[in-house]
């Protein structure tokens, strides 16, 4: 048993507890705060957590801005309970002896399972540990295994129905829903024989088999979603309560819609005894089977416990044959709530408390087992179901229902076309060269061909002359900067520290280090001095007065992009051209950002909005200005040694990636990525070979999601860095709101009113609406455990703050946040512009 001991101090009671844990043969890990607890859970999923709760704890005196390094057993318990459901948490409390013992209800509401009194008696601790191991811990492990089994049922090919002893349906899996078109909510509580229009007496005639614990096979008529009624071979298995009573607790019906494999396996084990009613031998497997009425795909064992209580209460009430009694209706309502309340698996949930509703992508609709890990089975969710996704789902359903090979093949072709990233481009017929040339000339971007995998091959020689300026620049770096850059490949790299050490000029330093790691100078055939000139030119055109959209943000996005490019999957898929272009795009993606949104520029009739016709104003400006500045400066033109085709190839990628950062196209880009790369079976994984992934249209989708994730990766950074970014973006939005009110413009983001804004609520909304899905799908694709772990921990942090805010007066809370956000701008409005002009003059000179 893996045990985590969270302690505030070492004393005789803690020492005795540690010795007892070790004497019982358990493994023990110790932590002192939330941060250490989070790090411990990254490595091990603990079965038992013991938290020292003997320190006096007062909510009234608790600081609003308490850090993760402070000992707070309440927040530690809530943190563990929200992230790790299958862990037993025990509170170590004072031994009050003759004093009045306080009520344990507050501890239970925090998430503790039970309390243990302090003692120095080793045997008392050992007895408590043995009681926990064979009691609560064992129960939670069985519940975890049951949840796993029910999750597996969701991905079986055969429809499965689970009933109580009165043949009332409690559960059906996805295969049943897709075959009949009926959801669990619609069939829950209905009688099995009424649903399938069966003769009740015919079923009850099987009682001899039931009492013997035998399964029986019969022909089950099922009405499909199309209205057609078909007979399928089914098997019903009675689940016997453990003990000598042979009491039936549940029935499980398995219907075969494809083959007879399952039934042949059962027959080979001699479970089917349909013609041997008086056979007294019961298969040992059936003797051991018991029923657990588990909420569908729910990992919350507290809700499971509530549901067990509800069912127990309902079992004692009278129920008529139609199942219309009031108690049954209450049970159905409760079951509907709990079995479909897990948002990560539920495509049909429609609660007003939910931000989004789910929509299946086409590659998740087949009833097959999920691939690599659990997140691959998750269907994509967003606020509005795209019409193209509805069309794909309808065709997919028709594909599954069709029995004609020709029809299925044609539907396959239609689905392939709909999954295409160039859905609206015309398909030219072979042989019509005139039409082909005409359409290509009118619709192409001027790029005639794409390079093969590998480095760029050019005609001009590589510039190997190392400038003295670069050598001097490197030599002049402080030891602190050099030491910090040694962690550049780590996801925990502190870009805020680099900003401070470089006097708010991090892009040159980090850019040189990162781009040299990817051999950008070699691939572009330029010297390092030219790369430094280009980085200096780009950084000088970021506005340091912006709290958020400055060169530090560009450096942060560059670092995230390089981190993603270094993953094994993307290293295989992308070539040198893709990597070089991706790094360049990251460095310039917010060039000359004014610190205002596109909507603000359009509402204020800004010159940029007029220039770009209100369409992706900032993104077009960033990309356009980057190439204008680069080509105008002879000493900073990193493209000058490329051939025209090489330059056009890199330019096309950079422009496409920068334009992809426009949030208006967020769900479009994400939908295309999900439809193309979300897989649910090993067979589909095999289809997605390396050659297929390296197709130009597929790499475009990958690079778009790559830079989009890098651009909004703040919620996945370590908490201290994330909080700094959250305050900075809030400050920038506060400034925009103030200016909109001053000029009488429409307020684009009323949430960011410095008088009433809640940063925790804003961050939680941003994470749930934009971040979670996108990073989960990227994680499925390239595997980013550290990134996702930070995202989960940070979400818990903001939720805790949001809960604390709800208990405070709005005036006090807003005053605190206002002071925090005003402090972010201190010392940023300095005279950096003079330094930028001086550097530009030196470059031109």
């Amino acid at each position: 048993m893996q045990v985590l001991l969270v302690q505030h101090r070492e004393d005789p009671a803690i020492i005795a507890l540690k010795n007892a844990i070790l004497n019982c043969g358990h493994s023990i890990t110790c932590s002192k705060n939330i941060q250490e607890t989070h790090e411990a859970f990254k490595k091990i999923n603990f079965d038992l957590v013991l938290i020292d709760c003997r320190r006096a704890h007062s909510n009234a005196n608790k600081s609003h801005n308490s850090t993760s390094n402070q000992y707070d057993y309440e927040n530690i318990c809530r943190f563990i309970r929200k992230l790790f459901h299958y862990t037993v948490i025990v509170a170590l409390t004072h031994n009050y002896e003759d004093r009045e013992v306080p009520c344990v209800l507050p501890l239970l509401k925090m998430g503790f399972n039970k309390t243990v009194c302090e003692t120095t008696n080793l045997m008392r601790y050992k007895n408590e540990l043995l009681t926990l191991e064979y009691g609560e811990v064992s129960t939670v492990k069985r519940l975890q295994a049951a949840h796993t089994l029910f999750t597996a049922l969701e991905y079986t090919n055969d429809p499965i129905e689970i009933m109580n002893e009165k043949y009332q349906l409690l559960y059906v899996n996805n295969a049943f829903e897709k075959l009949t078109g009926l959801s669990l909510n619609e069939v829950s509580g209905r009688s099995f024989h009424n649903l399938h229009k069966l003769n009740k007496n015919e079923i009850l005639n099987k009682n001899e088999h039931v009492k013997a614990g035998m399964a029986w096979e019969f022909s089950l008529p099922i009405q499909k979603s199309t209205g057609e009624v078909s007979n399928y071979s089914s098997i019903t298995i009675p689940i016997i309560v453990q003990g000598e009573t042979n009491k039936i607790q549940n029935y499980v019906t398995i219907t075969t819609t494809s083959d007879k494999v399952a039934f042949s396996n059962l027959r080979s084990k001699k479970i089917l005894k349909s013609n041997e009613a008086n056979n007294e031998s019961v298969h040992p497997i059936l003797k051991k089977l018991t029923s657990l009425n588990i909420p569908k795909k729910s990992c919350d064992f507290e809700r499971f416990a509530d549901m067990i209580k509800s069912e127990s209460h309902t079992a004692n009430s009278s129920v008529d044959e139609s199942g219309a009694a009031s108690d049954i209706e209450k049970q159905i309502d409760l079951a509907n709530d709990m079995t479909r309340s897990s948002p990560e698996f539920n495509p049909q949930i429609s609660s007003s408390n939910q931000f989004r509703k789910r929509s299946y992508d086409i590659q998740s609709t087949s009833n097959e087992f999920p691939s690599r890990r659990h997140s691959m089975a998750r269907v994509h969710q967003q606020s509005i179901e795209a019409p193209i996704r509805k069309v794909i789902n309808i065709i997919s359903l028709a594909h599954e229902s069709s029995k004609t090979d020709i029809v299925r093949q044609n539907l396959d072709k239609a689905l392939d076309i709909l999954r295409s990233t160039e859905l609206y481009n015309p398909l030219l017929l072979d042989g019509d060269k005139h039409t082909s040339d005409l359409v290509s000339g009118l619709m192409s971007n001027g790029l005639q061909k794409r390079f093969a995998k590998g480095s760029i091959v050019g005609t001009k020689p590589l510039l190997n002359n190392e400038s003295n300026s670069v050598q001097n620049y490197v030599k002049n770096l402080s030891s602190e900067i050099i030491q910090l850059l040694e962690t550049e490949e780590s996801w925990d790299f502190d870009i805020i520290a680099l900003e401070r050490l470089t006097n708010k000029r991090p892009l040159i330093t980090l850019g040189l280090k990162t781009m040299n790691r990817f051999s950008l100078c070699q691939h572009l055939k330029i010297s390092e001095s030219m790369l430094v000139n280009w980085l200096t030119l780009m950084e000088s055109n970021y506005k340091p007065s912006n709290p958020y959209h400055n060169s530090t943000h560009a450096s942060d996005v560059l670092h995230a992009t390089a981190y993603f490019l270094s993953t094994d999957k993307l290293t295989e898929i992308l070539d040198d051209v893709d990597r070089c272009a991706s790094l360049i795009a990251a460095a310039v993606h917010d060039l000359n950002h004014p610190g205002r949104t596109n909507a603000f520029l359009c509402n204020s009739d800004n010159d940029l909005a007029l220039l770009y016709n209100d369409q992706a104003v900032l993104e077009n400006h960033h990309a356009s200005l980057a190439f204008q500045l680069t080509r105008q400066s002879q000493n900073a033109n990193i493209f000058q040694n490329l051939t025209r085709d090489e330059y056009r190839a890199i330019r096309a990628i950079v422009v496409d990636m920068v334009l992809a950062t426009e949030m208006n196209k967020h769900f479009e880009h994400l939908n295309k990525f999900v439809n193309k790369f979300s897989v649910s079976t090993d067979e589909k994984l095999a289809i997605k070979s390396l050659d297929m992934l390296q197709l130009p249209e597929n790499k475009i989708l990958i690079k778009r999601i790559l830079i989009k994730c890098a651009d909004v990766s703040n919620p996945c950074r370590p908490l201290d860095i994330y909080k700094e970014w959250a305050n900075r973006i809030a400050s920038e939005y506060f400034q925009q709101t103030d200016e909109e009110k001053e000029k009488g413009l429409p307020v684009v983001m009323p949430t960011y009113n410095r008088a009433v804004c809640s940063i925790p609520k804003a961050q939680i909304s941003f994470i749930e609406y934009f971040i979670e899905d996108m990073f989960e799908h990227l994680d499925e694709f390239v595997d980013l455990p550290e990134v996702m772990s930070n995202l989960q921990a940070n979400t818990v942090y903001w939720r805790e703050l949001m809960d604390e805010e709800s208990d405070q007066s709005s005036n006090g809370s807003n005053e605190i946040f206002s002071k925090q956000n005003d402090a972010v701008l201190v010392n940023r409005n300095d005279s950096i512009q003079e330094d930028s002009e001086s550097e530009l003059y030196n470059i031109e000179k």
Side-chain angles (χ1 to χ4, degrees):
M1 187 166 65
Q2 299 285 350
V3 181
L4 174 65
L5 177 59
V6 185
Q7 63 185 65
H8 178 53
R9 63 184 183 276
E10 191 92 356
D11 59 15
I14 292 293
I15 295 173
L17 179 57
K18 289 182 179 179
N19 291 333
I21 294 172
L22 295 175
N23 287 344
C24 289
H26 305 316
S27 174
I28 182 173
T29 303
C30 297
S31 68
K32 294 184 179 180
N33 50 50
I34 289 182
Q35 190 64 32
E36 292 183 8
T37 302
H38 180 217
E39 293 297 327
F41 267 98
K42 282 183 180 181
K43 302 175 183 178
I44 301 172
N45 289 329
F46 293 97
D47 304 308
L48 175 64
V49 177
L50 295 160
I51 301 179
D52 186 357
C53 300
R54 294 173 297 167
R55 184 171 64 89
H57 183 77
S58 174
N59 287 330
N61 298 327
K62 187 170 62 174
S63 172
H64 177 75
N65 294 319
S66 60
T67 66
S68 60
N69 293 326
Q70 295 177 349
Y71 186 81
D72 185 345
Y73 66 81
E74 177 179 346
N75 280 335
I76 292 175
C77 176
R78 294 185 188 277
F79 168 77
I80 296 174
R81 180 58 69 219
K82 286 189 176 183
L83 285 186
F84 310 100
H85 303 278
Y86 299 111
T87 297
V88 176
I89 308 178
V90 177
L92 180 65
T93 61
H94 289 290
N95 187 354
Y96 293 92
E97 297 180 350
D98 297 334
R99 293 176 293 169
E100 182 179 356
V101 179
C103 179
V104 298
L105 184 59
L107 291 174
L108 297 177
K109 288 184 176 181
M110 292 178 200
F112 289 97
N113 295 94
K114 67 174 297 183
T115 62
V116 172
C117 293
E118 64 177 348
T119 181
T120 56
N121 189 311
L122 189 66
M123 185 53 66
R124 285 186 181 179
Y125 275 142
K126 290 180 68 174
N127 288 338
E128 289 286 358
L129 289 170
L130 289 172
T131 303
L132 287 168
E133 180 181 3
Y134 290 96
E136 283 88 347
V137 174
S138 177
T139 300
V140 170
K141 283 186 174 181
R142 287 197 297 268
L143 181 59
Q144 184 177 10
H147 164 66
T148 303
L149 291 174
F150 269 77
T151 301
L153 292 181
E154 289 298 313
Y155 301 100
T156 57
N157 288 324
D158 294 329
I160 295 176
E161 302 164 80
I162 297 180
M163 303 160 277
N164 62 15
E165 74 279 6
K166 297 181 179 180
Y167 295 97
Q168 291 175 326
L169 285 165
L170 303 175
Y171 166 88
V172 293
N173 66 346
N174 278 339
F176 177 90
E177 292 179 344
K178 291 178 180 177
L179 179 65
T180 63
L182 299 174
S183 67
L184 175 61
N185 294 345
E186 295 173 309
V187 302
S188 180
R190 293 181 61 180
S191 63
F192 177 77
H193 57 277
N194 285 344
L195 176 64
H196 297 292
K197 297 179 173 56
L198 295 173
N199 186 341
K200 182 178 179 181
N201 294 329
E202 180 182 349
I203 297 179
L204 296 179
N205 286 337
K206 303 294 183 179
N207 275 343
E208 294 299 328
H209 295 274
V210 170
K211 292 178 181 178
M214 298 300 170
W216 71 92
E217 184 179 356
F218 61 98
S219 180
L220 180 66
I222 295 180
Q223 183 173 358
K224 298 182 183 179
S225 57
T226 59
E228 176 188 358
V229 177
S230 300
N231 290 325
Y232 293 95
S233 181
S234 301
I235 177 176
T236 295
I237 306 171
I239 308 302
I240 311 298
V241 179
Q242 289 181 344
E244 301 298 329
T245 60
N246 279 349
K247 176 179 170 61
I248 301 296
Q249 180 167 316
N250 292 92
Y251 297 96
V252 178
T253 296
I254 305 173
T255 303
T256 298
T257 58
S258 54
D259 52 49
K260 300 288 183 178
V261 176
F263 295 94
S264 62
N265 289 341
L266 287 171
R267 288 192 182 95
S268 66
K269 295 179 180 180
K270 299 183 179 179
I271 295 178
L272 286 172
K273 301 287 183 179
S274 58
N275 296 323
E276 302 176 16
N278 298 322
N279 193 330
E280 296 180 357
S281 61
V282 179
H283 195 278
I285 294 179
L286 291 178
K287 282 186 176 180
K288 296 179 182 179
L289 285 175
T290 57
S291 172
L292 289 174
N293 183 14
I294 295 180
K296 185 178 182 183
K297 293 182 177 178
S298 171
C299 53
D300 190 338
F301 57 82
E302 294 175 352
R303 287 188 302 180
F304 166 70
D306 294 338
M307 195 168 185
I308 290 294
K309 293 178 184 177
S310 172
E311 174 142 342
S312 174
H313 174 269
T314 307
N316 297 327
S317 61
S318 59
V319 182
D320 60 14
E321 185 171 307
S322 63
S326 60
D327 286 341
I328 281 295
E329 291 174 352
K330 292 179 182 178
Q331 181 191 10
I332 295 173
D333 291 340
L334 181 61
N336 291 345
D337 254 344
M338 299 203 174
T339 57
R340 291 303 189 189
S341 59
S342 182
E344 61 267 31
F345 293 101
N346 181 14
Q348 298 176 347
I349 192 166
S350 57
S351 170
S352 60
N353 295 326
Q354 298 295 328
F355 266 92
R356 303 152 295 185
K357 60 183 179 181
R358 296 278 178 171
S359 56
Y360 283 105
D361 68 82
I362 181 61
Q363 299 182 9
S364 300
T365 53
S366 60
N367 297 321
E368 295 162 321
F369 290 100
S371 58
R372 182 168 60 87
R373 59 192 191 172
H374 184 69
S375 61
M376 294 292 282
R378 293 184 51 151
V379 291
H380 173 54
Q381 66 177 14
Q382 60 179 20
S383 60
I384 300 175
E385 186 178 33
I388 186 65
R389 194 178 289 271
K390 292 183 179 179
V391 173
I392 290 177
N393 288 340
I394 293 172
I395 296 178
S396 176
L397 182 61
H399 181 277
E400 292 178 1
S401 303
S402 176
K403 298 181 180 179
T404 307
D405 291 340
I406 297 178
V407 174
R408 294 171 68 92
Q409 290 174 4
N410 290 334
L411 291 176
D412 280 336
K413 292 179 181 178
L415 290 174
D416 289 339
I417 294 173
L418 291 175
R419 294 191 198 109
S420 170
T421 60
E422 304 298 333
L423 184 61
Y424 300 106
N425 283 359
L427 298 175
L428 300 178
L429 300 176
D430 295 335
D432 190 358
K433 188 175 184 306
H434 181 272
T435 304
S436 177
D437 290 343
L438 177 61
V439 174
S440 297
L442 292 174
M443 299 186 62
S444 72
N445 59 3
L447 180 60
Q448 298 300 321
K449 61 180 180 179
R450 185 69 171 88
F451 302 103
K453 183 176 70 174
S455 301
I456 299 176
V457 179
T459 57
K460 296 187 179 182
L462 176 67
L463 299 179
N464 293 318
N465 297 328
E466 187 63 30
S467 170
N468 291 331
S469 61
V470 176
Q471 296 177 0
N472 294 334
Y473 176 79
V474 175
K475 288 180 181 179
N476 290 333
L477 292 178
S478 66
S479 58
E480 290 179 310
I481 294 178
I482 294 175
Q483 184 178 1
L484 180 60
L485 288 177
E486 291 177 357
T487 64
E488 174 259 340
E489 296 184 33
S490 168
W491 180 251
D492 293 337
F493 178 75
D494 192 348
I495 191 65
I496 305 299
L498 183 63
E499 177 194 59
R500 173 177 53 81
L501 294 172
T502 58
N503 192 26
K504 302 182 180 66
R505 313 289 287 181
L507 184 58
I508 303 173
T509 305
L510 181 65
L512 183 62
K513 179 73 164 59
T514 301
M515 291 178 175
N516 275 340
R517 176 157 65 91
F518 285 87
S519 303
L520 187 134
C521 290
Q522 178 183 351
H523 299 313
L524 295 181
K525 301 180 284 294
I526 59 174
S527 64
E528 280 193 8
S529 62
M530 181 171 291
L531 177 59
V532 171
N533 291 342
W534 182 79
L535 289 169
T536 305
L537 178 62
M538 294 301 107
E539 186 155 44
S540 65
N541 279 275
Y542 277 95
K543 296 187 176 181
S545 58
N546 290 342
Y548 184 88
H549 289 100
N550 47 47
S551 65
T552 306
H553 169 64
S555 303
D556 183 60
V557 175
L558 174 64
H559 173 265
T561 301
Y563 183 86
F564 297 150
L565 289 173
S566 301
T567 58
D568 294 338
K569 187 75 168 285
L570 293 186
T571 300
E572 291 181 353
I573 297 173
L574 303 180
D575 58 25
D576 294 330
V577 180
D578 299 312
R579 283 186 282 272
C580 290
S582 297
L583 296 175
I584 294 171
V588 306
H589 83 284
D590 273 336
L591 192 66
N592 197 237
H593 197 292
R596 300 292 183 265
T597 63
N598 279 333
F600 178 91
L601 299 181
C602 295
N603 290 335
S604 60
D605 289 332
N606 185 275
D607 290 342
L608 291 177
L610 298 176
L611 177 63
Y612 296 111
N613 297 316
D614 296 344
Q615 302 298 314
V617 177
L618 286 173
E619 291 73 27
N620 277 303
H621 175 59
H622 304 323
S624 175
L625 182 62
F627 283 96
Q628 288 181 40
L629 293 174
T630 302
R631 291 175 61 87
Q632 289 171 3
S633 176
Q634 183 177 358
N635 294 328
N637 187 358
I638 58 175
F639 306 125
Q640 65 182 358
N641 293 324
L642 301 178
T643 65
R644 174 173 293 277
D645 284 344
E646 291 167 351
Y647 167 71
R648 294 287 295 169
I650 288 185
R651 172 172 163 77
I653 297 173
V654 171
V655 171
D656 184 79
M657 292 182 71
V658 173
L659 293 181
T661 61
E662 182 192 10
M663 292 306 292
N664 283 348
K665 298 293 183 67
H666 172 81
F667 291 110
E668 177 182 338
H669 296 316
L670 184 56
N671 266 320
K672 290 180 178 179
F673 181 85
V674 170
N675 283 335
K676 198 69 177 180
F677 299 114
S678 282
V679 294
S680 58
T681 66
D682 293 335
E683 178 182 356
K684 289 181 180 177
L685 277 174
I687 294 175
K688 297 193 181 318
S689 62
L690 183 59
D691 290 339
M692 189 278 291
L693 292 173
Q694 288 180 331
L695 292 175
E697 61 269 23
N698 290 339
K699 290 203 291 184
I700 287 174
L701 298 180
I702 294 171
K703 286 176 288 189
R704 287 174 181 172
I705 290 297
L706 183 151
I707 196 169
K708 283 182 63 62
C709 287
D711 189 25
V712 292
S713 62
N714 302 152
C716 303
R717 295 291 189 179
L719 181 58
D720 291 341
I721 299 175
Y722 177 24
K723 288 193 292 185
E724 176 67 18
W725 285 123
N727 284 327
R728 291 188 180 192
I729 191 63
S731 297
E732 192 167 293
Y733 288 159
F734 288 158
Q735 292 178 6
Q736 174 173 313
T737 302
D738 293 342
E739 186 175 350
E740 287 169 335
K741 291 181 178 179
E742 181 182 348
K743 295 182 176 180
L745 298 174
V747 177
V748 176
M749 293 178 290
T751 301
Y752 283 95
N753 182 339
R754 67 175 72 248
V756 296
C757 178
S758 166
I759 294 181
K761 289 181 181 178
Q763 289 300 315
I764 287 296
S765 299
F766 183 68
I767 289 173
E768 290 184 341
Y769 199 80
F770 292 105
I771 301 301
E772 282 182 343
D773 283 351
M774 184 165 63
F775 273 90
E776 283 170 7
H777 287 294
L778 182 65
D779 177 47
E780 293 171 7
F781 192 66
V782 298
D783 192 15
L784 302 167
E786 187 174 5
V787 175
M788 299 306 295
S789 178
N790 285 345
L791 177 58
Q792 292 176 345
N794 293 340
T795 304
V796 170
Y797 170 81
W798 289 115
R799 286 194 183 281
E800 292 292 341
L801 284 186
M802 190 169 64
D803 293 341
E804 291 179 11
E805 272 192 356
S806 63
D807 298 332
Q808 299 175 356
S809 63
S810 60
N811 292 334
S813 175
N814 293 326
E815 182 179 354
I816 292 174
F817 282 118
S818 179
K819 291 180 180 179
Q820 290 177 344
N821 295 320
D822 290 340
V824 173
L825 299 178
V826 175
N827 296 328
R828 288 204 59 89
N829 295 322
D830 49 19
S831 58
I832 295 180
Q833 188 63 31
E834 295 179 3
D835 296 337
S836 303
E837 294 174 356
S838 175
E839 290 172 354
L840 283 172
Y841 175 79
N842 292 333
I843 291 173
E844 295 299 332
K845 185 176 180 180

